[in-house]
Amino acid sequence: MSEYSFSGLEKAIGYEFRNKELIHEALSHSSYANEKKKQRQSNERLEFLGDSVLSVVVSQYLFTHYQDLPEGELTKIRAALVCEKSLHKFALKIRLGDYLLLGKGEEHTGGRERPSILADAFEAVIAAVYLDGGLEAARTHILHFIPKNIPEKRSMLFGDYKTALQEVIQKNPEEKVDYKLIEESGPDHSKTFVVEVCLNSNVIGKGIGKSKKEAEQMAAQEALALMGYEEA
């Protein structure tokens, strides 16, 4: 363990491990463990446990803080918060990829930036915190990543940026949003579309996609970011 230092990660998550072996294992991808043969365990078992701890903590948080929301809505929000896309974003916030232990092959093929690997490692770190410090330590760690005012951000959680933008604009009834297709290129089977979103004729976002709908969503996402609305 002495050849590795995870102090930067501990600082980023605000938790110092008493048992350093736990964080070492949480960051050990199967490719690294396989290269080390019997000297190392991969983070897969910790990932399994972390997934459950994450679900319990998020479920309790939503149940407690959003008592007006029905079960179906709570289920959808929880699913959006614990999906790979969200966990990948959480992992990026703490630069988790910088600390991953990967096999040479995985290292050379971009494993350090792969969303699935980062999401899995994020869950493994949750389990490591849970085993080292208990449920309250894990809860504190997880809740750092859960956005406030979730009902206002539901559309962004579900990746529906157009609806989220519309909800923001509706706060000012005199404002109007329009989407304009400004470019279409490529063969019929593989077209690319470029769309601009305008607020009262002023361009506030631009998006590119393989369909008009995708390009509109990307334009709305850019507009929201420029307006200061961050994703979960």
Side-chain angles (χ1 to χ4, degrees):
M1 181 65 200
S2 58
E3 74 225 78
Y4 300 106
S5 173
F6 304 116
S7 58
L9 179 59
E10 290 177 314
K11 185 176 180 180
I13 66 175
Y15 182 82
E16 185 174 350
F17 285 86
R18 290 170 291 183
N19 181 357
K20 304 297 185 184
E21 182 61 24
L22 282 168
I23 187 60
H24 195 179
E25 183 175 327
L27 297 170
S28 296
H29 186 255
S30 57
S31 61
Y32 173 80
N34 289 338
E35 283 188 2
K36 296 294 181 181
K37 300 195 172 13
K38 294 183 178 180
Q39 300 174 38
R40 227 10 309 124
Q41 275 200 102
S42 78
N43 61 5
E44 292 173 350
R45 283 173 54 82
L46 286 177
E47 174 205 336
F48 164 78
L49 177 59
D51 177 72
S52 296
V53 175
L54 174 65
S55 182
V56 168
V57 169
V58 171
S59 296
Q60 184 177 21
Y61 176 81
L62 295 176
F63 179 82
T64 302
H65 287 79
Y66 301 102
Q67 297 183 19
D68 58 321
L69 295 181
E71 179 269 341
E73 194 71 17
L74 293 173
T75 298
K76 287 194 293 183
I77 293 174
R78 180 182 61 191
L81 287 170
V82 304
C83 70
E84 180 182 298
K85 180 180 177 183
S86 292
L87 299 184
H88 175 227
K89 289 176 183 173
F90 299 161
L92 291 177
K93 286 182 179 179
I94 55 175
R95 301 180 64 88
L96 190 57
D98 292 353
Y99 302 94
L100 290 176
L101 301 172
L102 303 172
K104 293 177 182 176
E106 199 65 61
E107 182 77 68
H108 294 151
T109 55
R112 202 168 290 281
E113 291 83 36
R114 190 163 294 131
S116 60
I117 290 178
L118 285 168
D120 290 348
F122 187 84
E123 289 183 324
V125 170
I126 288 173
V129 172
Y130 170 72
L131 292 173
D132 192 68
L135 182 58
E136 287 310 308
R139 189 193 315 279
T140 298
H141 168 61
I142 292 167
L143 293 183
H144 283 315
F145 300 91
I146 304 303
K148 303 297 184 286
N149 303 317
I150 287 176
E152 297 176 11
K153 296 184 176 182
R154 270 179 278 185
S155 297
M156 280 193 283
L157 280 172
F158 304 142
D160 186 357
Y161 303 107
K162 285 185 67 177
T163 298
L165 180 60
Q166 191 62 42
E167 289 171 348
V168 170
I169 300 304
Q170 282 175 350
K171 295 176 183 177
N172 299 294
E174 70 279 4
E175 308 283 7
K176 184 181 178 183
V177 172
D178 289 306
Y179 293 85
K180 296 179 181 178
L181 178 66
I182 60 170
E183 188 178 328
E184 181 179 333
S185 60
D188 289 341
H189 68 279
S190 183
K191 282 188 174 294
T192 297
F193 299 87
V194 181
V195 167
E196 287 181 342
V197 57
C198 301
L199 178 63
N200 300 332
S201 301
N202 297 312
V203 177
I204 58 172
K206 183 176 180 180
I208 301 173
K210 292 298 182 182
S211 67
K212 292 179 185 176
K213 287 184 178 180
E214 182 183 358
E216 288 174 352
Q217 289 286 355
M218 294 301 98
Q221 181 183 21
E222 182 176 278
L224 286 164
L226 290 173
M227 295 167 72
Y229 287 86
E230 295 183 3
E231 291 184 74

